[in-house]
Amino acid sequence: MEHVPPPAEELARLDRELAELDARRAQLLTRRAWLLAALRPPAPTAAPGWNPSAWDAPAAGRPGAPAQPWGYVPPKQPSAPRSAQNVLLTLGGLLLTVAAVAFTLVSWGSMGIGGRSAVLAAVTVGALAAPAVLLRRGLTATAEALAALALVLTLLDAYAVHAVAAPDTDGLGFTAVAAAVLAALWTAYGLALGKLRLPLPAAVVLAQWPLLFGAWAAGAPALVVGWALLATAVLDGAIALWGKGTGARVTACVGGSVMAFSALMVGLTLSVTASGPLGALAPGALLLTAAAAALAGAWRASRGFARAGGVVAGLAVVAAVGGVPAAAVPEDWGVLAYLSAGLALTAVVRTRLPRNAAIGVLVASAAVVAGALAGALPGLAMVLLGPVTLLSDVWAGSPGGFRSALDPTLPWTGLAAAPVVLAVSAGLLGAAYRWWPSPARIAAPLIAREEPGSGGGPAGAPGTGTPEAGGAAVPGAGGEPGAGTAGTAGTAGTAGTVGMPAPGASGAAAPGAPHGTDAPWYAGGRAGTPWYAGGASAARRRPSGAALRGAAGAGAALLGWGALLLAGAVLDVPYAVAVAGETALVAGLLALAVRGTGSGREGSAAVPVTALVAASAGAVSAGLLSLASEGASYAVFGALAALFAGAAVRAGAGVERAVFAVAATVGCTVLTGFAGRSLGLAPHEAAPLILLVPALTVLFGARLRRNPVALPVELSGALGALVAVGLAVPDAPFLALVLALCGVLASGAAVRPERRPVAAYLAAALFVLATWVRLAASEVSFPEAYTLPVTVPALVVGFLRRRKDPEASSWTAYGPGLAATLLPSLAVAWTDPDWQRPLLLGVSALVITLLGARYRLQALLLLGGAVLALDGLHELAPYVVQVAGALPRWLPPALAGLLLLVVGATYEQRLRDARRLKDALGRMR
């Protein structure tokens, strides 16, 4: 009879067979696809090019090419004939070049320089004519090699002409003329033979030197050399924009960058070192001309080059315009001239300059402002960190001025204009914060997002200031963060949407497209869209208008505070005025921080958070500055404690309120330390006084209970207690007292249920430490005096736990407490010659063992029994040694053998006894 499996088993068997069939089918399909690909002739591939949007895409001309079969190893391709030909031509041309140089510079038989020049001229003409013939026959690589040889030969011809026809001519002047002639010759040669790649770049390289060498040969001043460099850079820029061939344009771009940089450095050096305003006019004209040239190039360049040109133009204008007034004012105030010129560049948003070039100019303006602020930072750091030196001589007496309270070795030269720089920057940022919608609307065309693909070509049309295509999100325009979009023709702008086409617009995403039109090609997006092109996600990454406004307000608050601080140091105001001024600044910052907390608006947290950070730094600086005088210390720290306490009361619930409360607690702790110093107490004697603030924090925490501020305040009080412990370390009795007081405070905190898990253990540890320190100070050496204070509380805690949870292990409840006393006492008893300690230890271990047996507690039974056995062995060891010495030598081996016989005869019984003992112990808790 045929066996029919159950339905479940049959279904599982069918699933396995179907899976095997699917796997075999997939294997055959893979093999078939590979065979088809191997038989199909390869399609012509496109010319290689840089296309980031096609990364990770199938190779051009082979759509969906299948993978090779498992174990396939591609065969090694032999060297291409074209590559070998290039190597041979390169080596041949190099050898001919070396031979020509040696022929010209050294000698060739008895032929003089004139004969050699004639031979070189004939060879050069042949080398120049040969590439034309070779190009007609399709031998391009050979033609390139001969063109390179002809280039070297023309240089050698120029040298030969100088040696034969004009030996007395100045070398620099002749080099300038020769470079100009050769540049013109190779330009014409390259244009005539357009298929050659070398002549035009070589002509560009030769064109770099005529003006420069001509100026040097004429002994021209540095300004004329700068004009020569700038003229060369302008020529390079024209070639880079309109030149023929990629090689010539790239070479011109590199050469123009070097020449322009050199010209700018010459102009900047002359402008900075000018003796007066009139002396700075000529370098300024050079710099302005360079700026005009850079902007002219940026007008037609692509996005990256346009922005770079805008940066260069902006920096050149600042150096030119700011250099004239900077030469007329003292050196310390020259930075204001450059800062004013840099700020004036922001007017570019009102001009018809292309968008990318205008962005570059704004970047230059920001760089100038950042540089001016960086010059003021060292002075601000000296004001904030200078009072640290007062820690080594507290209350030495009030100094005469602000600078006297700081480090006297600090340099104050060159900082006269630093407060003005900070104040001007703070004022501008404050104005932007106050009237935010206006600057947002003005800058809207520049901060608009470009549509993917619009940045690769020329900038937007002059006067528009917008990209050629694409939506634009304007942060903060109209007073609303992220409101408003600028749509293109035929695309409706949608509020709150950035770079997403309107429904029905061209290019709208089809239903089911995973990421819309901004997605890459492999995600269903528009073909050719790069992966890095911005879309809605890019707009989301942009800061909102509210965030930008908050950043402006935060910068204004920070820079304004720094300006006032630095102004006091630069003016060297009296010490009392400086202390009062810093304290007043802290009060103002705290008011600003309290006013902005809890508003809940987007970006609004920047101003209060910055004000809080600045207030904290200012409080530390003011506190350090007040350490020069006793009265100032009490006044400043008292005022700071009151200010932070008031801020904590007025602030809303959150991190800011906790920071205020912690700062107030720290200020009160410092005041208690000052009180101990005023009373003439030693540091260890003032330690109990400092514990007043931690005691108040414990009471305050009990009052607040689960308020979020309670924990930070109590932790700051615990930090004050730790400081008190550190002060009491040199004196052991005071240290024991302080530890005991800290234990009392921890016990008070442990009364509250939410603090009990931590505070209870901390209180026990502090009491034990206090006891140990007190015993050590009294020179007590008995270990039981140190261990019993640990054992008794531990056993009490274990007893309470066992009563609450009878199933708890005795090792957890009683093991640590018993081991804390029994093990140290046993170690000492083994080296104690007296009998009292071993006797007391043995009696205690016996009682513990009996209690363990009575209440079936494993820890008590094993610990007590082990200690009792070891203690008894220690006491009986001398007598055992005496008896062993009196017995015959054969008796111990005989007794051992007898013991082994007895154990062997009753082996099964002993095993059963051991198992029963193990089971009995296992049933104990």
PDB file of all heavy atoms in Angstrom, residues 326-360:
ATOM      1  N   ALA A 326      44.440 104.323   5.255  1.00  0.00           N
ATOM      2  CA  ALA A 326      45.274 103.641   6.242  1.00  0.00           C
ATOM      3  C   ALA A 326      46.668 104.238   6.297  1.00  0.00           C
ATOM      4  O   ALA A 326      47.316 104.232   7.350  1.00  0.00           O
ATOM      5  CB  ALA A 326      45.361 102.147   5.914  1.00  0.00           C
ATOM      6  N   ALA A 327      47.146 104.784   5.169  1.00  0.00           N
ATOM      7  CA  ALA A 327      48.468 105.416   5.170  1.00  0.00           C
ATOM      8  C   ALA A 327      48.467 106.774   5.836  1.00  0.00           C
ATOM      9  O   ALA A 327      49.525 107.305   6.157  1.00  0.00           O
ATOM     10  CB  ALA A 327      48.971 105.546   3.724  1.00  0.00           C
ATOM     11  N   ALA A 328      47.262 107.370   6.047  1.00  0.00           N
ATOM     12  CA  ALA A 328      47.178 108.697   6.648  1.00  0.00           C
ATOM     13  C   ALA A 328      46.920 108.665   8.140  1.00  0.00           C
ATOM     14  O   ALA A 328      47.018 109.708   8.803  1.00  0.00           O
ATOM     15  CB  ALA A 328      46.074 109.504   5.956  1.00  0.00           C
ATOM     16  N   VAL A 329      46.580 107.521   8.695  1.00  0.00           N
ATOM     17  CA  VAL A 329      46.267 107.419  10.127  1.00  0.00           C
ATOM     18  C   VAL A 329      47.362 106.611  10.803  1.00  0.00           C
ATOM     19  O   VAL A 329      48.170 105.942  10.144  1.00  0.00           O
ATOM     20  CB  VAL A 329      44.890 106.751  10.328  1.00  0.00           C
ATOM     21  CG1 VAL A 329      43.796 107.583   9.691  1.00  0.00           C
ATOM     22  CG2 VAL A 329      44.877 105.336   9.752  1.00  0.00           C
ATOM     23  N   PRO A 330      47.419 106.643  12.140  1.00  0.00           N
ATOM     24  CA  PRO A 330      48.412 105.811  12.839  1.00  0.00           C
ATOM     25  C   PRO A 330      48.227 104.333  12.515  1.00  0.00           C
ATOM     26  O   PRO A 330      47.152 103.876  12.111  1.00  0.00           O
ATOM     27  CB  PRO A 330      48.137 106.109  14.321  1.00  0.00           C
ATOM     28  CG  PRO A 330      47.522 107.470  14.324  1.00  0.00           C
ATOM     29  CD  PRO A 330      46.722 107.547  13.052  1.00  0.00           C
ATOM     30  N   GLU A 331      49.275 103.584  12.732  1.00  0.00           N
ATOM     31  CA  GLU A 331      49.273 102.177  12.337  1.00  0.00           C
ATOM     32  C   GLU A 331      48.191 101.381  13.046  1.00  0.00           C
ATOM     33  O   GLU A 331      47.586 100.473  12.459  1.00  0.00           O
ATOM     34  CB  GLU A 331      50.648 101.577  12.622  1.00  0.00           C
ATOM     35  CG  GLU A 331      50.798 100.131  12.179  1.00  0.00           C
ATOM     36  CD  GLU A 331      52.173  99.578  12.469  1.00  0.00           C
ATOM     37  OE1 GLU A 331      53.025 100.348  12.975  1.00  0.00           O
ATOM     38  OE2 GLU A 331      52.404  98.389  12.191  1.00  0.00           O
ATOM     39  N   ASP A 332      47.931 101.713  14.313  1.00  0.00           N
ATOM     40  CA  ASP A 332      46.931 100.965  15.068  1.00  0.00           C
ATOM     41  C   ASP A 332      45.526 101.135  14.510  1.00  0.00           C
ATOM     42  O   ASP A 332      44.663 100.279  14.723  1.00  0.00           O
ATOM     43  CB  ASP A 332      46.946 101.389  16.536  1.00  0.00           C
ATOM     44  CG  ASP A 332      48.256 101.033  17.216  1.00  0.00           C
ATOM     45  OD1 ASP A 332      49.048 100.301  16.603  1.00  0.00           O
ATOM     46  OD2 ASP A 332      48.485 101.495  18.357  1.00  0.00           O
ATOM     47  N   TRP A 333      45.281 102.278  13.835  1.00  0.00           N
ATOM     48  CA  TRP A 333      43.931 102.568  13.355  1.00  0.00           C
ATOM     49  C   TRP A 333      43.742 102.229  11.884  1.00  0.00           C
ATOM     50  O   TRP A 333      42.668 102.455  11.327  1.00  0.00           O
ATOM     51  CB  TRP A 333      43.622 104.058  13.579  1.00  0.00           C
ATOM     52  CG  TRP A 333      43.576 104.411  15.023  1.00  0.00           C
ATOM     53  CD1 TRP A 333      44.608 104.850  15.781  1.00  0.00           C
ATOM     54  CD2 TRP A 333      42.447 104.340  15.885  1.00  0.00           C
ATOM     55  NE1 TRP A 333      44.213 105.062  17.081  1.00  0.00           N
ATOM     56  CE2 TRP A 333      42.867 104.751  17.170  1.00  0.00           C
ATOM     57  CE3 TRP A 333      41.116 103.964  15.708  1.00  0.00           C
ATOM     58  CZ2 TRP A 333      42.022 104.796  18.255  1.00  0.00           C
ATOM     59  CZ3 TRP A 333      40.256 104.022  16.796  1.00  0.00           C
ATOM     60  CH2 TRP A 333      40.711 104.425  18.060  1.00  0.00           C
ATOM     61  N   GLY A 334      44.757 101.712  11.222  1.00  0.00           N
ATOM     62  CA  GLY A 334      44.623 101.390   9.810  1.00  0.00           C
ATOM     63  C   GLY A 334      43.605 100.302   9.539  1.00  0.00           C
ATOM     64  O   GLY A 334      43.001 100.255   8.460  1.00  0.00           O
ATOM     65  N   VAL A 335      43.376  99.426  10.520  1.00  0.00           N
ATOM     66  CA  VAL A 335      42.434  98.330  10.299  1.00  0.00           C
ATOM     67  C   VAL A 335      41.027  98.852  10.065  1.00  0.00           C
ATOM     68  O   VAL A 335      40.229  98.222   9.349  1.00  0.00           O
ATOM     69  CB  VAL A 335      42.478  97.364  11.507  1.00  0.00           C
ATOM     70  CG1 VAL A 335      42.004  98.047  12.766  1.00  0.00           C
ATOM     71  CG2 VAL A 335      41.645  96.125  11.237  1.00  0.00           C
ATOM     72  N   LEU A 336      40.705 100.026  10.630  1.00  0.00           N
ATOM     73  CA  LEU A 336      39.361 100.572  10.426  1.00  0.00           C
ATOM     74  C   LEU A 336      39.136 100.965   8.968  1.00  0.00           C
ATOM     75  O   LEU A 336      38.020 100.851   8.449  1.00  0.00           O
ATOM     76  CB  LEU A 336      39.150 101.782  11.337  1.00  0.00           C
ATOM     77  CG  LEU A 336      39.090 101.485  12.834  1.00  0.00           C
ATOM     78  CD1 LEU A 336      38.870 102.760  13.613  1.00  0.00           C
ATOM     79  CD2 LEU A 336      37.980 100.485  13.128  1.00  0.00           C
ATOM     80  N   ALA A 337      40.187 101.439   8.318  1.00  0.00           N
ATOM     81  CA  ALA A 337      40.042 101.791   6.900  1.00  0.00           C
ATOM     82  C   ALA A 337      39.727 100.552   6.067  1.00  0.00           C
ATOM     83  O   ALA A 337      38.819 100.565   5.209  1.00  0.00           O
ATOM     84  CB  ALA A 337      41.326 102.468   6.406  1.00  0.00           C
ATOM     85  N   TYR A 338      40.457  99.484   6.305  1.00  0.00           N
ATOM     86  CA  TYR A 338      40.191  98.246   5.552  1.00  0.00           C
ATOM     87  C   TYR A 338      38.834  97.664   5.924  1.00  0.00           C
ATOM     88  O   TYR A 338      38.127  97.121   5.062  1.00  0.00           O
ATOM     89  CB  TYR A 338      41.293  97.239   5.822  1.00  0.00           C
ATOM     90  CG  TYR A 338      42.643  97.659   5.281  1.00  0.00           C
ATOM     91  CD1 TYR A 338      43.644  98.097   6.124  1.00  0.00           C
ATOM     92  CD2 TYR A 338      42.906  97.627   3.913  1.00  0.00           C
ATOM     93  CE1 TYR A 338      44.882  98.494   5.632  1.00  0.00           C
ATOM     94  CE2 TYR A 338      44.140  98.021   3.409  1.00  0.00           C
ATOM     95  CZ  TYR A 338      45.118  98.450   4.270  1.00  0.00           C
ATOM     96  OH  TYR A 338      46.339  98.834   3.787  1.00  0.00           O
ATOM     97  N   LEU A 339      38.460  97.775   7.195  1.00  0.00           N
ATOM     98  CA  LEU A 339      37.149  97.264   7.603  1.00  0.00           C
ATOM     99  C   LEU A 339      36.027  98.041   6.931  1.00  0.00           C
ATOM    100  O   LEU A 339      35.038  97.459   6.458  1.00  0.00           O
ATOM    101  CB  LEU A 339      37.015  97.339   9.126  1.00  0.00           C
ATOM    102  CG  LEU A 339      35.677  96.881   9.707  1.00  0.00           C
ATOM    103  CD1 LEU A 339      35.442  95.410   9.407  1.00  0.00           C
ATOM    104  CD2 LEU A 339      35.627  97.120  11.206  1.00  0.00           C
ATOM    105  N   SER A 340      36.178  99.361   6.855  1.00  0.00           N
ATOM    106  CA  SER A 340      35.148 100.171   6.188  1.00  0.00           C
ATOM    107  C   SER A 340      35.039  99.807   4.719  1.00  0.00           C
ATOM    108  O   SER A 340      33.930  99.681   4.171  1.00  0.00           O
ATOM    109  CB  SER A 340      35.491 101.653   6.351  1.00  0.00           C
ATOM    110  OG  SER A 340      35.580 102.007   7.718  1.00  0.00           O
ATOM    111  N   ALA A 341      36.183  99.612   4.070  1.00  0.00           N
ATOM    112  CA  ALA A 341      36.144  99.216   2.658  1.00  0.00           C
ATOM    113  C   ALA A 341      35.514  97.842   2.489  1.00  0.00           C
ATOM    114  O   ALA A 341      34.747  97.599   1.538  1.00  0.00           O
ATOM    115  CB  ALA A 341      37.561  99.228   2.079  1.00  0.00           C
ATOM    116  N   GLY A 342      35.818  96.928   3.413  1.00  0.00           N
ATOM    117  CA  GLY A 342      35.218  95.604   3.327  1.00  0.00           C
ATOM    118  C   GLY A 342      33.712  95.640   3.532  1.00  0.00           C
ATOM    119  O   GLY A 342      32.957  94.938   2.839  1.00  0.00           O
ATOM    120  N   LEU A 343      33.253  96.458   4.469  1.00  0.00           N
ATOM    121  CA  LEU A 343      31.809  96.567   4.682  1.00  0.00           C
ATOM    122  C   LEU A 343      31.126  97.238   3.504  1.00  0.00           C
ATOM    123  O   LEU A 343      29.965  96.935   3.186  1.00  0.00           O
ATOM    124  CB  LEU A 343      31.537  97.345   5.968  1.00  0.00           C
ATOM    125  CG  LEU A 343      31.975  96.660   7.268  1.00  0.00           C
ATOM    126  CD1 LEU A 343      31.768  97.579   8.447  1.00  0.00           C
ATOM    127  CD2 LEU A 343      31.200  95.363   7.467  1.00  0.00           C
ATOM    128  N   ALA A 344      31.831  98.168   2.830  1.00  0.00           N
ATOM    129  CA  ALA A 344      31.227  98.830   1.668  1.00  0.00           C
ATOM    130  C   ALA A 344      30.994  97.862   0.517  1.00  0.00           C
ATOM    131  O   ALA A 344      30.164  98.127  -0.361  1.00  0.00           O
ATOM    132  CB  ALA A 344      32.123  99.982   1.215  1.00  0.00           C
ATOM    133  N   LEU A 345      31.696  96.731   0.514  1.00  0.00           N
ATOM    134  CA  LEU A 345      31.499  95.760  -0.567  1.00  0.00           C
ATOM    135  C   LEU A 345      30.110  95.146  -0.528  1.00  0.00           C
ATOM    136  O   LEU A 345      29.666  94.585  -1.538  1.00  0.00           O
ATOM    137  CB  LEU A 345      32.544  94.648  -0.465  1.00  0.00           C
ATOM    138  CG  LEU A 345      33.994  95.018  -0.773  1.00  0.00           C
ATOM    139  CD1 LEU A 345      34.885  93.804  -0.603  1.00  0.00           C
ATOM    140  CD2 LEU A 345      34.118  95.566  -2.184  1.00  0.00           C
ATOM    141  N   THR A 346      29.432  95.208   0.614  1.00  0.00           N
ATOM    142  CA  THR A 346      28.088  94.620   0.675  1.00  0.00           C
ATOM    143  C   THR A 346      27.106  95.342  -0.243  1.00  0.00           C
ATOM    144  O   THR A 346      26.020  94.825  -0.511  1.00  0.00           O
ATOM    145  CB  THR A 346      27.575  94.670   2.114  1.00  0.00           C
ATOM    146  OG1 THR A 346      27.634  96.016   2.606  1.00  0.00           O
ATOM    147  CG2 THR A 346      28.435  93.792   3.017  1.00  0.00           C
ATOM    148  N   ALA A 347      27.490  96.541  -0.722  1.00  0.00           N
ATOM    149  CA  ALA A 347      26.617  97.243  -1.668  1.00  0.00           C
ATOM    150  C   ALA A 347      26.515  96.523  -2.998  1.00  0.00           C
ATOM    151  O   ALA A 347      25.729  96.926  -3.860  1.00  0.00           O
ATOM    152  CB  ALA A 347      27.127  98.669  -1.871  1.00  0.00           C
ATOM    153  N   VAL A 348      27.272  95.467  -3.183  1.00  0.00           N
ATOM    154  CA  VAL A 348      27.227  94.736  -4.440  1.00  0.00           C
ATOM    155  C   VAL A 348      25.857  94.101  -4.676  1.00  0.00           C
ATOM    156  O   VAL A 348      25.488  93.791  -5.814  1.00  0.00           O
ATOM    157  CB  VAL A 348      28.333  93.660  -4.456  1.00  0.00           C
ATOM    158  CG1 VAL A 348      27.986  92.515  -3.529  1.00  0.00           C
ATOM    159  CG2 VAL A 348      28.592  93.140  -5.852  1.00  0.00           C
ATOM    160  N   VAL A 349      25.093  93.911  -3.584  1.00  0.00           N
ATOM    161  CA  VAL A 349      23.766  93.307  -3.756  1.00  0.00           C
ATOM    162  C   VAL A 349      22.828  94.228  -4.526  1.00  0.00           C
ATOM    163  O   VAL A 349      21.794  93.777  -5.038  1.00  0.00           O
ATOM    164  CB  VAL A 349      23.159  92.960  -2.380  1.00  0.00           C
ATOM    165  CG1 VAL A 349      24.015  91.939  -1.665  1.00  0.00           C
ATOM    166  CG2 VAL A 349      23.009  94.205  -1.514  1.00  0.00           C
ATOM    167  N   ARG A 350      23.161  95.514  -4.618  1.00  0.00           N
ATOM    168  CA  ARG A 350      22.331  96.467  -5.353  1.00  0.00           C
ATOM    169  C   ARG A 350      22.828  96.697  -6.775  1.00  0.00           C
ATOM    170  O   ARG A 350      22.282  97.527  -7.496  1.00  0.00           O
ATOM    171  CB  ARG A 350      22.298  97.803  -4.605  1.00  0.00           C
ATOM    172  CG  ARG A 350      21.553  97.757  -3.287  1.00  0.00           C
ATOM    173  CD  ARG A 350      20.071  97.520  -3.518  1.00  0.00           C
ATOM    174  NE  ARG A 350      19.283  97.754  -2.314  1.00  0.00           N
ATOM    175  CZ  ARG A 350      17.958  97.591  -2.251  1.00  0.00           C
ATOM    176  NH1 ARG A 350      17.305  97.181  -3.325  1.00  0.00           N
ATOM    177  NH2 ARG A 350      17.309  97.817  -1.130  1.00  0.00           N
ATOM    178  N   THR A 351      23.885  96.030  -7.184  1.00  0.00           N
ATOM    179  CA  THR A 351      24.453  96.242  -8.507  1.00  0.00           C
ATOM    180  C   THR A 351      23.920  95.206  -9.486  1.00  0.00           C
ATOM    181  O   THR A 351      23.196  94.281  -9.113  1.00  0.00           O
ATOM    182  CB  THR A 351      25.994  96.154  -8.441  1.00  0.00           C
ATOM    183  OG1 THR A 351      26.367  94.829  -8.037  1.00  0.00           O
ATOM    184  CG2 THR A 351      26.546  97.152  -7.441  1.00  0.00           C
ATOM    185  N   ARG A 352      24.313  95.364 -10.755  1.00  0.00           N
ATOM    186  CA  ARG A 352      23.896  94.442 -11.808  1.00  0.00           C
ATOM    187  C   ARG A 352      24.950  93.379 -12.059  1.00  0.00           C
ATOM    188  O   ARG A 352      25.003  92.780 -13.143  1.00  0.00           O
ATOM    189  CB  ARG A 352      23.643  95.230 -13.096  1.00  0.00           C
ATOM    190  CG  ARG A 352      22.530  96.260 -12.973  1.00  0.00           C
ATOM    191  CD  ARG A 352      22.432  97.114 -14.225  1.00  0.00           C
ATOM    192  NE  ARG A 352      22.153  96.323 -15.400  1.00  0.00           N
ATOM    193  CZ  ARG A 352      20.933  95.973 -15.813  1.00  0.00           C
ATOM    194  NH1 ARG A 352      19.884  96.337 -15.101  1.00  0.00           N
ATOM    195  NH2 ARG A 352      20.773  95.260 -16.902  1.00  0.00           N
ATOM    196  N   LEU A 353      25.789  93.135 -11.073  1.00  0.00           N
ATOM    197  CA  LEU A 353      26.843  92.132 -11.203  1.00  0.00           C
ATOM    198  C   LEU A 353      26.216  90.737 -11.242  1.00  0.00           C
ATOM    199  O   LEU A 353      25.203  90.487 -10.577  1.00  0.00           O
ATOM    200  CB  LEU A 353      27.805  92.230 -10.025  1.00  0.00           C
ATOM    201  CG  LEU A 353      29.213  91.659 -10.202  1.00  0.00           C
ATOM    202  CD1 LEU A 353      29.958  92.443 -11.272  1.00  0.00           C
ATOM    203  CD2 LEU A 353      29.976  91.730  -8.887  1.00  0.00           C
ATOM    204  N   PRO A 354      26.784  89.809 -12.013  1.00  0.00           N
ATOM    205  CA  PRO A 354      26.232  88.445 -12.033  1.00  0.00           C
ATOM    206  C   PRO A 354      26.211  87.833 -10.635  1.00  0.00           C
ATOM    207  O   PRO A 354      27.006  88.192  -9.764  1.00  0.00           O
ATOM    208  CB  PRO A 354      27.189  87.691 -12.954  1.00  0.00           C
ATOM    209  CG  PRO A 354      27.785  88.728 -13.822  1.00  0.00           C
ATOM    210  CD  PRO A 354      27.880  89.968 -12.992  1.00  0.00           C
ATOM    211  N   ARG A 355      25.326  86.897 -10.477  1.00  0.00           N
ATOM    212  CA  ARG A 355      25.079  86.330  -9.149  1.00  0.00           C
ATOM    213  C   ARG A 355      26.329  85.708  -8.545  1.00  0.00           C
ATOM    214  O   ARG A 355      26.684  85.980  -7.389  1.00  0.00           O
ATOM    215  CB  ARG A 355      23.973  85.284  -9.254  1.00  0.00           C
ATOM    216  CG  ARG A 355      23.691  84.528  -7.966  1.00  0.00           C
ATOM    217  CD  ARG A 355      22.576  83.517  -8.192  1.00  0.00           C
ATOM    218  NE  ARG A 355      22.266  82.828  -6.965  1.00  0.00           N
ATOM    219  CZ  ARG A 355      22.862  81.729  -6.555  1.00  0.00           C
ATOM    220  NH1 ARG A 355      23.826  81.207  -7.290  1.00  0.00           N
ATOM    221  NH2 ARG A 355      22.517  81.143  -5.428  1.00  0.00           N
ATOM    222  N   ASN A 356      27.018  84.849  -9.292  1.00  0.00           N
ATOM    223  CA  ASN A 356      28.175  84.154  -8.734  1.00  0.00           C
ATOM    224  C   ASN A 356      29.314  85.108  -8.425  1.00  0.00           C
ATOM    225  O   ASN A 356      29.998  84.969  -7.413  1.00  0.00           O
ATOM    226  CB  ASN A 356      28.648  83.067  -9.706  1.00  0.00           C
ATOM    227  CG  ASN A 356      27.667  81.918  -9.795  1.00  0.00           C
ATOM    228  OD1 ASN A 356      27.187  81.436  -8.779  1.00  0.00           O
ATOM    229  ND2 ASN A 356      27.342  81.494 -10.999  1.00  0.00           N
ATOM    230  N   ALA A 357      29.535  86.098  -9.288  1.00  0.00           N
ATOM    231  CA  ALA A 357      30.565  87.094  -8.998  1.00  0.00           C
ATOM    232  C   ALA A 357      30.203  87.905  -7.765  1.00  0.00           C
ATOM    233  O   ALA A 357      31.066  88.228  -6.931  1.00  0.00           O
ATOM    234  CB  ALA A 357      30.758  88.007 -10.210  1.00  0.00           C
ATOM    235  N   ALA A 358      28.928  88.251  -7.611  1.00  0.00           N
ATOM    236  CA  ALA A 358      28.499  89.000  -6.423  1.00  0.00           C
ATOM    237  C   ALA A 358      28.686  88.172  -5.157  1.00  0.00           C
ATOM    238  O   ALA A 358      29.076  88.694  -4.107  1.00  0.00           O
ATOM    239  CB  ALA A 358      27.037  89.417  -6.578  1.00  0.00           C
ATOM    240  N   ILE A 359      28.408  86.882  -5.251  1.00  0.00           N
ATOM    241  CA  ILE A 359      28.652  86.021  -4.087  1.00  0.00           C
ATOM    242  C   ILE A 359      30.130  86.021  -3.717  1.00  0.00           C
ATOM    243  O   ILE A 359      30.504  86.077  -2.544  1.00  0.00           O
ATOM    244  CB  ILE A 359      28.139  84.600  -4.381  1.00  0.00           C
ATOM    245  CG1 ILE A 359      26.612  84.579  -4.437  1.00  0.00           C
ATOM    246  CG2 ILE A 359      28.635  83.611  -3.327  1.00  0.00           C
ATOM    247  CD1 ILE A 359      26.034  83.241  -4.814  1.00  0.00           C
ATOM    248  N   GLY A 360      31.006  85.965  -4.714  1.00  0.00           N
ATOM    249  CA  GLY A 360      32.440  86.033  -4.427  1.00  0.00           C
ATOM    250  C   GLY A 360      32.828  87.334  -3.754  1.00  0.00           C
ATOM    251  O   GLY A 360      33.643  87.348  -2.827  1.00  0.00           O
TER     252      GLY A 360
END
